[in-house]
Amino acid sequence: MGDLSALPSLSASERTRHRRLREQGRTDREELFAVLGAGFVCHLGVIVDGAPMVVPTVYGFDSDHVYVHGSVASRSLATGGPAPVCVTVTHVDGLVLARSVFEHGVNYRSAMIYGVPRALEGEEKLEALRLLTEHTAPGQWDYARRPNRKELAATTILAVPLDEASVKVRQGPPDDADDPHDVWAGVLPLAATWQPPVTDPLSAREVPAHVRLRAGTRLGGESPGD
Ligand SMILES: Cc1cc2nc3c(=O)[nH]c(=O)nc-3n(C[C@H](O)[C@H](O)[C@H](O)COP(=O)(O)OP(=O)(O)OC[C@H]3O[C@@H](n4cnc5c(N)ncnc54)[C@H](O)[C@@H]3O)c2cc1C
């Protein structure tokens, strides 16, 4: 993706200006790529028939765009015209168990991206599919059969620009040190770990190394606080 540190910082638009819990807001664009790099499922928020629809879906990204894909029949991916969307990515790193219920919270890293997506075609579409596949299932673009013409025609892939994005991060212990209650307080960390692969009974092949070696590793690498 080139030198990400050379990219401009996350400049707040009126929409992405943090209002509540502002101290958790981050302005470094590298933090956006760290959040995007640490997961592969996002939530795509769109307006369909005048009502909000928020769809969980996998994504890929490069320095300029986040890519989401699906069936050409998906209503959430229909681009009948330039319609804004909001993409969120969330990682939960732990439960913050405070002395008071009021101060309970979540340690997290999250990103919100607002933008008007563009449906890709031709070489751009194929490259975005490669990025999305390699981000979600590294090694599979070269290992598995690539999409044929019919499959490509059945697939929509949208590019959402990363121009208007925000990041929030909360880490650390509860914020209620002054609360006098005599109860335990702290953090219950949470991390997702890849499990050993389960071979399809129809598969006559050994598990390839790029799949096998993921077992036991954490989703997105190490979590903050490790
Ligand atoms: C897993 C998880 C659980 C949470 N649980 C709670 C909860 O129970 N109660 C609660 O009050 N808050 C919770 N938060 C924080 C919540 O996401 C909001 O940041 C916070 O509530 C402020 O919301 P707001 O509507 O006032 O946003 P505003 O501050 O008005 O939002 C302004 C702009 O800030 C940016 N922004 C806001 N929130 C986020 C975010 N999380 N990530 C990236 N950019 C953001 C967006 O660009 C947004 O348009 C949680 C966050 C996560 C990730």
Side-chain angles (χ1 to χ4, degrees):
M1 284 210 307
D3 183 8
L4 298 179
S5 62
L7 292 168
S9 61
L10 296 172
S11 52
S13 63
E14 186 46 29
R15 195 159 45 171
T16 58
R17 185 170 58 79
H18 299 287
R19 293 169 176 82
R20 285 189 50 244
L21 305 172
R22 269 186 288 183
E23 68 287 358
Q24 296 172 8
R26 302 292 166 93
T27 54
D28 197 333
R29 188 163 285 266
E30 281 183 66
E31 301 249 14
L32 171 64
F33 294 115
V35 171
L36 291 175
F40 64 96
V41 175
C42 66
H43 286 84
L44 171 67
V46 296
I47 300 292
V48 175
D49 295 337
M53 177 179 183
V54 179
V55 183
T57 189
V58 301
Y59 66 89
F61 67 100
D62 59 19
S63 54
D64 298 315
H65 297 95
V66 62
Y67 302 101
V68 290
H69 81 328
S71 162
V72 286
S74 285
R75 293 190 306 158
S76 59
L77 299 177
T79 51
V85 302
C86 179
V87 176
T88 64
V89 176
T90 310
H91 308 299
V92 176
D93 295 318
L95 266 184
V96 181
L97 303 171
R99 291 159 184 81
S100 65
V101 170
F102 182 82
E103 291 291 351
H104 276 53
V106 178
N107 276 345
Y108 69 85
R109 293 156 289 150
S110 66
M112 292 176 62
I113 300 143
Y114 295 99
V116 177
R118 184 169 61 89
L120 303 181
E121 293 299 339
E123 283 303 311
E124 270 192 319
K125 182 175 187 174
L126 203 60
E127 173 58 7
L129 279 171
R130 186 190 70 78
L131 283 170
L132 188 147
T133 305
E134 281 299 295
H135 177 59
T136 305
Q140 286 295 95
W141 187 257
D142 284 337
Y143 184 76
R145 179 179 63 75
R146 294 184 189 166
N148 59 31
R149 192 182 298 215
K150 192 174 163 203
E151 290 163 342
L152 278 175
T155 304
T156 296
I157 186 152
L158 300 182
V160 182
L162 292 176
D163 299 333
E164 195 180 0
S166 60
V167 173
K168 274 176 103 163
V169 176
R170 191 210 185 275
Q171 302 299 332
D175 294 326
D176 65 348
D178 295 337
D179 200 302
H181 293 255
D182 186 18
V183 294
W184 180 88
V187 171
L188 190 59
L190 178 69
T193 304
W194 293 104
Q195 303 300 304
V198 179
T199 299
D200 178 350
L202 297 176
S203 176
R205 300 274 176 161
E206 296 264 299
V207 183
H210 66 273
V211 177
R212 192 179 66 243
L213 294 175
R214 288 187 92 181
T217 66
R218 281 194 175 184
L219 173 62
E222 298 204 331
S223 299
D226 280 354

